[in-house]
Amino acid sequence: MSENLPASIPFEKLSAGDALAELETAKSGLTAEAVAERLARYGPNAFEEEKKKGIVRMFLSQLNDPMIYVLLAATAVSAFLKEYTDAVIIVAIILINAVVGVVQESKAEKSLEALKKLSSPIAAVRRGGRLVEIPAADLVPGDIVVLEAGRIVPADVRLIEAVNLKVEESALTGESVPVEKDAGFVAGAEDEIGIGDRINMAYLSTGVSYGRGLGLVCATGMDTEIGKIARMIKEEDGGTTPLQQKLANLSKVLGILCLVVCAALFVVAVVQGRDLMEMLLTAISLAVAAIPEGLPAVVTIVLALGVQRMVKVNTIVRKLPSVETLGSVSVVCSDKTGTLTQNKMTVTMLYTAADDRLWYAGDYYYEKERRMLIDGFVLCTDAEVSADGDRIGDPTELALIDLGLAKGITKAALEQVIPRVNEQAFDSDRKMMTTVHQRDNGAYVAFTKGAVDNILEHCVDEGGRPLGEDAKRRALAAASEMAEDALRVLALAVKEGDATATEEGLTFVGLVGMIAPPRPEAPGAVADFRAAGVTTVMITGDHRDTAYAIAKEIGIADSPEQVVSGDALSRMTQEELAEAAPRLRVFARVSPEHKVMIVKAFKSHGHIVSMTGDGVNDAPSLKAADIGVAMGITGTDVSKGAADMILTDDNFATIRLAVREGRNIYNNIRESVLFLLSSNLGEIFTMFVAIAIGLLTPLRAIHILWINLITDSLPALALGVDPPEDDIMKQPPRDAKAGIFSDGGMAATVLFGCVIGAITLGAFLYEPLRVLRENGEAVSVAAIDAVLRDAPEVYRRAQTFAFTTLGISQLFNAIGFKKLHKSVFTVNHLENKMMIFAFLVGFGLQIAVTEVPVLSALFETTRLSLKEWLCLTALCTVPLWVHEVYRIVHDRWKASHDEQRRQAA
């Protein structure tokens, strides 16, 4: 036996005899001693176990986030400063964030578990000259397995016998019809052929749909093609989403900001000659309080709410961040079979020899003169469709049954009138099948279906002479026209009065052409994606011509130059494919490795790539993509386990709705983040300026925590559920490299932060200034500081003014951020009832902390008069008026910027 591992030997390039010799076995099978030796050498026919992630590891993984690190640091510093209330609140926020993430995300990776279930539990195998049934896990290279219709292939095998053998490989290769196998085929020594073209091989987990055969086990366990997919899934790193990357960067910025604030205030203390330790503690306290503690929870909850909305558009989200990722998708790589096309063959064209006419299936009318074509095809099948809709049989034959059903004809009804009495089964040599039926008058009629050339060779004209060249030419021309549309063509002939099923002297009746047709909604979805700047790419295991025909019909490709096949991909390096990718739209006859290469090629150009699929062969690429989308109905457990989200209706067009929702979720999260950061900047501005000029702090730490976690968080959540704008799918995908602060985000954050800080500081200074005016004293920083220090009731009242102004101004600021680039006077505020609720509740809570005695004592505030409330509320509307000015300036800047870009282009 060769020293090489069997999996490294190209068995498709060896004859059956050479393959047996290579593995030192025979058709009678291995001896018990040989089995034991090989089992010890190669291990069981099973997949490697993956250590499951426990609940503790899952919980800890939720904490593995830069923003959480900052919050944990804030907790430690708060505890050090004996601000235990602050520390407890921050810890609670961290725990809530982690629990929501664990509950929403998948509890474990199920990909390899599903792959294990695909393995056939029992295999029929020849050992020592006897046929025995054993657990499939006990198979070893060199075993001889028996393959029969209905059995699952238990390992990768080189066929050494194949009698009319057809294997259903769609889950592995994407091939939409069962593949006819040929044990005598031997691939050329220099040929590189894909899995779908290795007709002398059968692979683990594929199903035998017809015929029988013997297979030489040449690969087991992780060395099988399915095993390789398992390893690819295991090794492929899903990476981080654009949102995760942006929030991670934001966390770093906030961390640096905290350090800068601490350092700046420490320098101020040195310059002003203040107590250094006191100022250091104040600086650290300010930096901790300035962190938007509610941000991680707000982002997580907004994503979770988005998940609930996605359910309404038939999408199940397994991983929270993937909701946002869909919104930035610029390339959708889609599997063809079952995704862009219906997962069944359908007759779309017919040809009737009697009138030499091609018909579209929908136009073909069923009447006496034309009954024989459909009746004959329906009767000459072994497929069955029950009254309950159960479908059994070859997809090609099921398409013929469906053709009859579309015309109101059932096979059962026909066979009651004209039952089958004899038959000659299909085989790959004749490429024909014949059934004989007896009419109620006792006369026999035989129907023969098969390949066009073979049928025509056995047909005669009305005089009993071989069919004339003119008749053949017309039939072949019709078949060629169908083939140009990538249709699979079958011919039908009839013979009257013969019960023997002999296939000579037949009368040619006509042709049908069938294909797995596009889903009705697919062309519209592709067109909408194009309008949204999203490129649709088809990836399939089907042949090049079939793939191009479907892609052209759907609107994905318009030139054969946009198509590349698997053999060409095999000769390309990853770099060469990346260079060619922008001009390619269709990838045919691809392997699982090819699919991963394709995804990486588009990602190398900066694209955010979505991959859709339903088969085992799609799983590695689903995991390699930025977002993997599996089909919920036809999808295998493996594809669902590897995907980020699952379409419950298997509808390609649903992805369009999901992308729309994803875009809106990102926009909403961005608005929420910018709103929270502008609010925090307002707090920093207020505190830093006051301390820098030598005043006492305008706000207590509990004031800032209250605003960050309560007053700010409710409007931030309301921004997170804002409905999408009408033109959201007419805009191009956002640049994956564009940060949260792009498109004027930074300017808006700084502007509104400074505005809020300025009016808050103004409200803080009002009360000491009033006291100085009443006392006739000169106004100076020193005088103001003296009033605040000497009169605690004035200081408490000033802090109450600042606290109230800061809280309420941020409620008005949220209204402006609802549609940052639209006027607050033209936006329909009633469409977001959550914002109205957040505003009213936030306002009510802010009133409560000054007017309810228990809360007033906790927050050290004083009660305000109605006049003071009205004046402070009017002051708090300033951010709305600034918003209107900002919108006008931004729109003019953007128009000028876009014009410059157009001129440059």
Side-chain angles (χ1 to χ4, degrees):
M1 188 170 177
S2 171
E3 290 301 316
N4 294 324
L5 288 173
S8 66
I9 301 170
F11 281 92
E12 70 275 7
K13 299 180 181 181
L14 301 180
S15 67
D18 289 342
L20 288 168
E22 182 69 40
L23 292 178
E24 297 179 4
T25 188
K27 287 187 178 181
S28 59
L30 296 169
T31 63
E33 294 78 11
V35 169
E37 185 272 328
R38 296 183 189 202
L39 191 60
R41 186 193 305 185
Y42 300 115
N45 181 32
F47 295 119
E48 295 173 358
E49 293 283 350
E50 185 178 58
K51 188 176 181 180
K52 292 184 179 180
K53 184 187 286 188
I55 191 70
V56 175
R57 279 185 63 201
M58 288 174 55
F59 183 81
L60 292 176
S61 69
Q62 298 295 322
L63 305 180
N64 186 21
D65 182 273
M67 179 66 75
I68 300 299
Y69 299 158
V70 174
L71 292 183
L72 289 173
T75 303
V77 174
S78 296
F80 175 75
L81 297 175
K82 297 183 179 181
E83 295 283 352
Y84 298 119
T85 302
D86 298 0
V88 169
I89 291 174
I90 297 173
V91 168
I93 289 296
I94 292 172
L95 293 178
I96 291 171
N97 181 67
V99 169
V100 171
V102 169
V103 170
Q104 183 60 50
E105 292 189 9
S106 177
K107 293 183 179 180
E109 285 292 335
K110 298 179 180 178
S111 299
L112 296 180
E113 285 293 319
L115 281 164
K116 285 173 61 181
K117 292 176 184 177
L118 285 176
S119 302
S120 175
I122 299 295
V125 58
R126 288 180 180 176
R127 283 186 174 171
R130 296 174 54 239
L131 181 63
V132 294
E133 288 197 335
I134 64 171
D138 293 341
L139 288 174
V140 296
D143 265 327
I144 304 298
V145 295
V146 176
L147 303 175
E148 299 170 324
R151 282 192 179 271
I152 300 297
V153 180
D156 284 5
V157 301
R158 167 59 166 95
L159 297 171
I160 55 177
E161 285 185 12
V163 181
N164 303 325
L165 185 65
K166 292 185 180 181
V167 179
E168 168 63 59
E169 297 180 340
S170 62
L172 179 62
T173 67
E175 181 74 55
S176 54
V177 296
V179 179
E180 291 184 22
K181 296 298 183 177
D182 181 1
F185 172 79
V186 178
E190 302 301 322
D191 293 344
E192 290 294 334
I193 60 175
I195 294 173
D197 296 318
R198 299 173 191 171
I199 58 175
N200 56 0
M201 302 287 293
Y203 296 98
L204 173 66
S205 86
T206 59
V208 179
S209 62
Y210 195 87
R212 58 185 175 82
L214 286 180
L216 167 65
V217 175
C218 54
T220 58
M222 296 299 286
D223 291 328
T224 63
E225 293 298 328
I226 293 289
K228 294 174 184 176
I229 292 175
R231 185 173 286 110
M232 290 169 66
I233 295 173
K234 191 175 180 180
E235 294 173 352
E236 190 61 51
D237 179 14
T240 56
T241 70
L243 180 63
Q244 289 172 321
Q245 294 166 5
K246 291 175 177 60
L247 290 179
N249 292 334
L250 177 61
S251 301
K252 295 173 185 175
V253 171
L254 289 175
I256 293 172
L257 178 62
C258 291
L259 294 175
V260 170
V261 168
C262 290
L265 285 184
F266 190 75
V267 170
V268 168
V270 172
V271 172
Q272 295 181 348
R274 295 195 181 194
D275 182 270
L276 294 182
M277 182 54 66
E278 177 188 347
M279 282 305 297
L280 178 60
L281 294 177
T282 301
I284 294 175
S285 179
L286 170 61
V288 170
I291 296 170
E293 289 85 358
L295 180 57
V298 166
V299 171
T300 300
I301 293 171
V302 168
L303 288 172
L305 292 173
V307 166
Q308 299 308 311
R309 292 199 301 275
M310 298 287 269
V311 171
K312 296 179 181 179
V313 294
N314 302 308
T315 305
I316 297 173
V317 176
R318 294 184 61 245
K319 300 171 184 176
L320 278 180
S322 60
V323 181
E324 170 271 333
T325 309
L326 254 185
S328 58
V329 164
S330 54
V331 174
V332 173
C333 295
S334 177
D335 179 49
K336 179 185 76 69
T337 305
T339 307
L340 289 167
T341 63
Q342 300 174 36
N343 201 26
K344 64 177 184 178
M345 300 293 288
T346 301
V347 174
T348 58
M349 293 191 75
L350 304 94
Y351 169 77
T352 48
D355 46 12
D356 186 30
R357 180 173 176 181
L358 270 170
W359 304 77
Y360 287 106
D363 298 335
Y364 188 85
Y365 49 93
Y366 182 72
E367 60 179 21
K368 184 175 181 180
E369 291 78 9
R370 296 186 175 85
R371 291 184 60 169
M372 187 172 289
L373 181 62
I374 295 181
D375 286 358
F377 270 124
V378 171
L379 287 167
C380 192
T381 65
D382 290 326
E384 300 286 346
V385 177
S386 70
D388 297 332
D390 294 332
R391 302 167 65 82
I392 303 171
D394 183 275
T396 300
E397 293 196 336
L398 286 170
L400 300 175
I401 299 290
D402 289 338
L403 174 63
L405 291 173
K407 303 301 178 182
I409 307 160
T410 66
K411 182 180 178 183
L414 285 175
E415 287 187 333
Q416 283 183 347
V417 178
I418 180 171
R420 184 186 297 191
V421 295
N422 198 1
E423 64 185 271
Q424 187 172 177
F426 174 89
D427 70 47
S428 55
D429 292 328
R430 293 170 23 253
K431 296 190 182 299
M432 293 189 294
M433 170 185 177
T434 297
T435 59
V436 181
H437 304 262
Q438 188 173 24
R439 294 194 172 100
D440 53 9
N441 62 4
Y444 295 100
V445 60
F447 294 105
T448 301
K449 78 172 192 299
V452 178
D453 291 338
N454 298 54
I455 292 288
L456 293 177
E457 286 302 317
H458 293 79
C459 287
V460 297
D461 61 18
E462 294 178 354
R465 297 179 298 274
L467 194 64
E469 292 301 319
D470 188 53
K472 285 184 179 180
R473 179 186 55 77
R474 291 196 299 270
L476 291 172
S480 177
E481 187 168 340
M482 292 183 186
E484 286 177 2
D485 290 330
L487 302 185
R488 181 188 179 106
V489 184
L490 287 180
L492 179 76
V494 66
K495 186 176 184 180
E496 298 281 357
D498 185 358
T500 62
T502 56
E503 295 167 339
E504 298 295 339
L506 308 178
T507 300
F508 179 54
V509 178
L511 310 170
V512 293
M514 63 184 69
I515 197 169
R519 288 177 173 269
E521 64 279 353
V526 170
D528 288 347
F529 274 137
R530 188 181 300 111
V534 179
T535 300
T536 305
V537 173
M538 178 196 288
I539 302 176
T540 178
D542 273 348
H543 290 279
R544 181 189 180 108
D545 292 343
T546 303
Y548 175 61
I550 292 292
K552 185 177 181 181
E553 184 175 352
I554 294 175
I556 292 175
D558 53 24
S559 167
E561 283 71 38
Q562 294 175 305
V563 184
V564 66
S565 58
D567 56 350
L569 287 175
S570 297
R571 295 190 294 270
M572 288 185 182
T573 64
Q574 184 67 57
E575 292 72 23
E576 290 170 339
L577 178 57
E579 183 180 348
R583 62 179 182 273
L584 298 174
R585 294 294 177 268
V586 181
F587 298 84
R589 303 302 281 174
V590 297
S591 68
E593 293 87 350
H594 291 151
K595 293 187 177 189
V596 175
M597 285 180 63
I598 293 164
V599 169
K600 290 181 176 179
F602 282 106
K603 288 177 71 172
S604 70
H605 289 275
H607 289 293
I608 300 297
V609 180
S610 167
M611 172 69 192
T612 71
D614 59 358
V616 175
N617 60 327
D618 296 318
S621 53
L622 288 175
K623 199 162 185 180
D626 293 291
I627 179 162
V629 183
M631 301 295 120
I633 299 174
T634 59
T636 61
D637 288 342
V638 184
S639 63
K640 294 174 189 175
D644 299 293
M645 59 178 57
I646 301 164
L647 304 184
T648 58
D649 61 354
D650 281 18
N651 191 334
F652 178 77
T654 299
I655 302 172
R656 168 184 51 191
L657 300 177
V659 168
R660 181 174 184 266
E661 190 65 44
R663 288 187 174 190
N664 186 52
I665 286 171
Y666 178 82
N667 290 343
N668 289 348
I669 288 178
R670 178 175 179 269
E671 290 175 354
S672 296
V673 170
L674 293 179
F675 161 71
L676 289 172
L677 293 179
S678 66
S679 298
N680 280 85
L681 185 60
E683 297 161 8
I684 293 173
F685 181 95
T686 302
M687 298 284 284
F688 184 82
V689 171
I691 294 172
I693 63 177
L695 299 177
L696 293 176
T697 57
L699 298 163
R700 298 181 66 236
I702 195 171
H703 294 164
I704 296 177
L705 268 178
W706 169 266
I707 290 172
N708 286 357
L709 298 178
I710 306 298
T711 313
D712 278 0
S713 295
L714 287 174
L717 288 174
L719 289 171
V721 298
D722 216 24
E725 298 181 23
D726 294 336
D727 63 347
I728 196 167
M729 285 301 284
K730 294 180 181 177
Q731 302 168 7
R734 68 177 184 275
D735 185 349
K737 297 178 182 178
I740 289 175
F741 295 115
S742 62
D743 193 26
M746 177 61 78
T749 301
V750 172
L751 173 63
F752 290 103
C754 291
V755 168
I756 290 171
I759 63 175
T760 300
L761 193 59
F764 174 71
L765 295 174
Y766 174 80
E767 190 65 10
L769 289 174
R770 182 186 64 78
V771 171
L772 289 175
R773 284 197 303 272
E774 289 178 353
N775 295 337
E777 297 181 36
V779 175
S780 66
V781 172
I784 294 173
D785 187 58
V787 170
L788 293 174
R789 291 181 183 276
D790 297 340
E793 71 282 358
V794 173
Y795 182 34
R796 183 168 180 171
R797 194 168 185 79
Q799 281 194 323
T800 301
F801 281 6
F803 181 29
T804 302
T805 301
L806 183 63
I808 296 177
S809 66
Q810 292 182 5
L811 295 176
F812 282 103
N813 189 37
I815 294 176
F817 268 91
K818 182 175 179 291
K819 289 288 185 288
L820 191 56
H821 302 311
K822 290 188 177 182
S823 171
V824 294
F825 302 109
T826 60
V827 171
N828 179 12
H829 295 284
L830 296 178
E831 67 181 1
N832 188 346
K833 294 180 175 58
M834 177 67 179
M835 179 60 77
I836 298 174
F837 171 80
F839 184 89
L840 295 176
V841 170
F843 209 118
L845 290 173
Q846 199 61 45
I847 291 174
V849 295
T850 60
E851 306 302 320
V852 176
V854 174
L855 294 177
S856 178
L858 177 64
F859 286 87
E860 298 185 19
T861 58
T862 59
R863 298 187 67 178
L864 302 178
S865 66
L866 178 61
K867 180 181 178 181
E868 288 170 333
W869 272 111
L870 292 174
C871 290
L872 289 176
T873 301
L875 178 64
C876 291
T877 64
V878 169
L880 283 184
W881 304 109
V882 174
H883 169 269
E884 291 301 299
V885 176
Y886 165 81
R887 177 186 61 81
I888 294 171
V889 173
H890 177 272
D891 288 350
R892 290 179 178 176
W893 170 83
K894 192 172 187 302
S896 174
H897 182 68
D898 291 345
E899 180 61 29
Q900 291 176 0
R901 285 173 53 186
R902 279 193 295 269
Q903 291 177 355

